[in-house]
Amino acid sequence: LASASSRRNGRSHAAILAATLAQLTSVGYQRLTIERVAAEAGVGKATVYRWWPSKARLVVEALTSCSDFPPVEPTGDLRSDVHALVTRAIDFIVNTPMGRTLPQLVDDFGEDPEARAQLLQWLGPIHAGHLALLYSAAGRQEIPHNVDPVLILDIIAGTVLYRGVLSSGPDTRFADQLTDFIIAGTRPA
Amino acid sequence: LASASSRRNGRSHAAILAATLAQLTSVGYQRLTIERVAAEAGVGKATVYRWWPSKARLVVEALTSCSDFPPVEPTGDLRSDVHALVTRAIDFIVNTPMGRTLPQLVDDFGEDPEARAQLLQWLGPIHAGHLALLYSAAGRQEIPHNVDPVLILDIIAGTVLYRGVLSSGPDTRFADQLTDFIIAGTRPA
Amino acid sequence: LASASSRRNGRSHAAILAATLAQLTSVGYQRLTIERVAAEAGVGKATVYRWWPSKARLVVEALTSCSDFPPVEPTGDLRSDVHALVTRAIDFIVNTPMGRTLPQLVDDFGEDPEARAQLLQWLGPIHAGHLALLYSAAGRQEIPHNVDPVLILDIIAGTVLYRGVLSSGPDTRFADQLTDFIIAGTRPA
Amino acid sequence: LASASSRRNGRSHAAILAATLAQLTSVGYQRLTIERVAAEAGVGKATVYRWWPSKARLVVEALTSCSDFPPVEPTGDLRSDVHALVTRAIDFIVNTPMGRTLPQLVDDFGEDPEARAQLLQWLGPIHAGHLALLYSAAGRQEIPHNVDPVLILDIIAGTVLYRGVLSSGPDTRFADQLTDFIIAGTRPA
DNA sequence: CACTAAACGAGACGGTACGTCGCGTCTTTCT
DNA sequence: AGAAAGACGCGACGTACCGTCTCGTTTAGTG
């Protein structure tokens, strides 16, 4: 990280990322324009292109460099933990810049596949943390051996995203419903 | 429908929708351009704009007018039905033009909210059919009262989409895993 | 001419040529920019590029479409005619937009050779008119047979341009000097 | 001159001038770029700018530092001398890097007037040498008093340049024609 | 059966943004 | 200290599409 920071001059870097976030929140991903980002950052277009080969990469870095996803505190109880995961997922999708941008961003990964890798790298530790929660529950026999914890996380993420994008938006009742279902699905046979 | 068809000349209509589908499969939604669609259809740009106010609307109509989602035949057994639903969802997302286009398309609904309505209208009967499957299972006591069949469908759709879009793609093992989990979640308490 | 005008829509044509001339006189050929021409004409850049493939072509047409070089009235006396030719050449180079632009313009013909042809086509009739003057003098035996009138015109044009470009500029005395020399060179042996 | 040379590091100087000439012959003056010159010379751009304030100045120095114009040997006969002058002028314009570059270079003197002075300083001795030829002829009564030798040189230079730039190029016949005309113009009345 | 009015192909138009190039300045790094 | 390396703000390049807008020309449907 230090070497990456030092290779990059860093003078304009922060300004560009800040301008990117500003554009993301004000006009959204689709309407975000490299030209406007550069203008708002007081920077030449070429400077943006020097460091980021595509809009997707620029936005991924802007979002990952500012989003911290504080770990979900394990309570020792599966139901509480799953409920926390679901709630956090909903909050993430609904309230954070990254959550709101994610769906559109992911579609652009076709233009720059490395952006996907960069995003997954950021997601990695978070995902691992959440997995740890479930593995610990499995250790406590709260999850049967034949249930893949990765699947559970994908169900949470996928279902929350789906509700957030296609229907009007996930509400509190939905959090409880989804939590209930997952708990039911993980009862030992 | 007849009146709509007659109001619309119909001569160029089919050509435009066909060209839209051709572009969708060859270059994808993002790179699809109204200019190219018009050119490929041998049509003036204005003719396209006369009937479809946006790319999203054009694509929704092109896809819904050619995609038929044959109903899932009920087997009387919940597991078989759910497995069929999951399999069909995967096939839809992976192999059909509409399934592949859906994620990008949905992101554009911000530009033209009526397109969302038009898509949901197409999805309506399909969704209803799938719901019927689950309600029938509920009638057979295979699903407890406190489990919302709508949630189950959202879980299937969301999870399949999520795997299809963020990770490499859903495989056969995934279909079984997801089916198992859903069956587990719907066992009467 | 009518066909050319009708092929071209003509709505914005005049505005672009006018803006081109305005830029030529205000900032000169080198600093003339297609972007500024378009802006000043209230026109999109693409509209300029649609009709003119290069700066050279645009400028050639702007200049030829507004420059008229009224014919030199023959006086029946070689000296008077040559003096008129020289004086007109000087005036052309020093005072007209085209004359001032010519040297730089010609250098750009390397980028678009057809521009050279277009300029020569404009020069053609003028050159022919001047040649007629000299041929008529040859008919009156004022020029010996072994002197090529074309050479005389090239000497006038070349020398005037050379003085105008490399030294400070041709003055009145120069006109007399050059006229005298040419008359001397054309005395019958 | 020595002090100037010593003030300049000299290490990179030669490389820069060499790279400039290479670019001149390979892509021409217009497409010559300080950036490429620096790169080809293995030198930072700033080093180029430290010593030459403009492209025109750099090119003038590159050309004058390599072009030597060997004096025209006087033959004692005006016709021979003039013919030699014309031939040399044609050769200069057609075959030498400087001759080919001159027209474009001169147009750029508007951007850096001192470059003009620098070029004229190089031309000075050559011009003086040529003038001496004609003055010597005047001393031999081969040129009448009322003919300005400077004018003759300008006619030669101007006419040759004009033919070289606007028309296809001066040929051998042209050299004889021009020589003949000048001799005719300088016969004593 | 003409006649008219809509729909049409064609594509020009004013724009916005693209991604690239070169300018001339300024800073960092290394020798 | 001085040079290479090259980042930087800037401005222009030439291209691609946007969505709107005339233009004649079909092509029905009506009088």
Side-chain angles (χ1 to χ4, degrees), chain A residues 123-182:
Chain A
L123 281 175
I126 297 164
H127 196 251
H130 295 166
L131 265 186
L133 245 68
L134 299 181
Y135 278 123
S136 138
R140 277 178 273 120
Q141 320 285 346
E142 290 191 87
I143 300 180
H145 307 301
N146 61 324
V147 171
D148 184 357
V150 171
L151 177 67
I152 295 177
L153 291 184
D154 286 357
I155 287 174
I156 294 175
T159 310
V160 167
L161 266 166
Y162 182 74
R163 285 265 173 139
V165 152
L166 198 69
S167 65
S168 47
D171 52 9
T172 321
R173 214 175 89 69
F174 165 69
D176 293 331
Q177 272 190 312
L178 182 55
T179 304
D180 286 345
F181 188 87
I182 287 172

Side-chain angles (χ1 to χ4, degrees), chain A residues 71-101:
Chain A
V72 176
E73 291 301 324
T75 63
D77 171 55
L78 178 61
R79 181 167 224 297
S80 308
D81 288 350
V82 167
H83 194 268
L85 286 176
V86 170
T87 304
R88 286 286 286 278
I90 293 176
D91 175 66
F92 179 68
I93 292 302
V94 172
N95 295 323
T96 70
M98 179 172 247
R100 276 204 274 256
T101 307

Side-chain angles (χ1 to χ4, degrees), chain C residues 98-166:
Chain C
M98 179 173 246
R100 275 205 273 257
T101 307
L102 252 187
Q104 298 155 279
L105 182 55
V106 166
D107 291 338
D108 245 18
F109 286 165
E111 315 283 314
D112 183 348
E114 288 203 36
R116 178 196 302 269
Q118 201 162 331
L119 179 63
L120 290 177
Q121 183 174 329
W122 180 81
L123 281 175
I126 297 164
H127 197 250
H130 295 166
L131 265 186
L133 243 68
L134 298 182
Y135 278 123
S136 138
R140 286 184 321 247
Q141 321 284 346
E142 290 191 88
I143 300 180
H145 307 302
N146 62 324
V147 171
D148 183 358
V150 171
L151 177 68
I152 296 178
L153 292 183
D154 284 358
I155 288 174
I156 295 175
T159 310
V160 167
L161 266 166
Y162 182 74
R163 285 266 173 137
V165 152
L166 199 67

Side-chain angles (χ1 to χ4, degrees), chain A residues 30-31 103-104 106-108 111 116 147-148 150-152 154-155 157-159 161-163 165-166 174 177-178 181-182 184-187 189, chain B residues 30-31 103-104 106-108 111 116 147-148 150-152 154-155 157-159 161-163 165-166 174 177-178 181-182 184-187 189:
Chain A
Q30 312 261 35
R31 298 205 181 285
Q104 297 156 281
V106 166
D107 291 337
D108 245 18
E111 316 283 314
R116 178 195 305 265
V147 171
D148 184 357
V150 171
L151 177 67
I152 295 177
D154 286 357
I155 287 174
T159 310
L161 266 166
Y162 182 74
R163 285 265 173 139
V165 152
L166 198 69
F174 165 69
Q177 272 190 312
L178 182 55
F181 188 87
I182 287 172
T186 54
R187 281 173 311 173
Chain B
Q30 311 261 35
R31 297 205 182 286
Q104 298 156 279
V106 165
D107 291 336
D108 244 20
E111 313 284 313
R116 178 194 303 265
V147 171
D148 184 356
V150 171
L151 176 68
I152 294 176
D154 285 357
I155 287 174
T159 310
L161 266 167
Y162 181 74
R163 285 264 174 140
V165 151
L166 198 69
F174 166 69
Q177 273 191 312
L178 183 55
F181 187 87
I182 286 172
T186 54
R187 279 174 312 173

Side-chain angles (χ1 to χ4, degrees), chain B residues 60-74:
Chain B
V60 166
E61 180 161 343
L63 288 172
T64 56
S65 74
C66 86
S67 306
D68 63 325
F69 200 108
V72 175
E73 291 302 324

Side-chain angles (χ1 to χ4, degrees), chain D residues 2-189:
Chain D
S3 72
S5 290
S6 63
R7 245 190 298 112
R8 296 177 175 185
N9 183 302
R11 203 99 48 231
S12 41
H13 233 73
I16 293 170
L17 293 177
T20 303
L21 285 170
Q23 287 289 303
L24 271 181
T25 61
S26 65
V27 304
Y29 181 80
Q30 310 262 35
R31 297 206 181 287
L32 176 145
T33 270
I34 297 216
E35 208 140 22
R36 289 166 94 90
V37 166
E40 190 169 313
V43 145
K45 266 198 295 181
T47 305
V48 179
Y49 281 108
R50 183 166 0 250
W51 288 322
W52 296 278
S54 72
K55 186 165 99 167
R57 291 279 275 279
L58 170 62
V59 169
V60 166
E61 181 161 343
L63 288 172
T64 57
S65 75
C66 86
S67 306
D68 62 327
F69 200 108
V72 175
E73 291 302 324
T75 63
D77 172 54
L78 179 59
R79 184 166 221 296
S80 306
D81 288 351
V82 167
H83 194 266
L85 286 176
V86 170
T87 304
R88 287 285 286 278
I90 293 174
D91 176 67
F92 179 68
I93 292 302
V94 173
N95 295 322
T96 70
M98 179 173 247
R100 276 204 273 256
T101 308
L102 251 186
Q104 297 155 280
L105 182 55
V106 166
D107 291 337
D108 245 19
F109 287 166
E111 314 284 314
D112 182 347
E114 288 202 36
R116 178 195 303 267
Q118 199 161 334
L119 178 64
L120 290 177
Q121 183 175 328
W122 179 81
L123 280 175
I126 298 164
H127 196 251
H130 295 165
L131 264 185
L133 245 67
L134 298 181
Y135 279 124
S136 140
R140 279 178 272 121
Q141 319 287 345
E142 290 191 87
I143 301 179
H145 306 302
N146 61 325
V147 172
D148 183 356
V150 171
L151 177 67
I152 295 176
L153 292 183
D154 284 358
I155 287 174
I156 294 174
T159 310
V160 168
L161 267 167
Y162 182 74
R163 285 264 175 139
V165 152
L166 199 68
S167 65
S168 48
D171 52 11
T172 321
R173 216 175 89 70
F174 165 69
D176 294 329
Q177 273 191 313
L178 182 55
T179 305
D180 287 345
F181 188 87
I182 287 172
I183 297 304
T186 53
R187 280 172 312 172

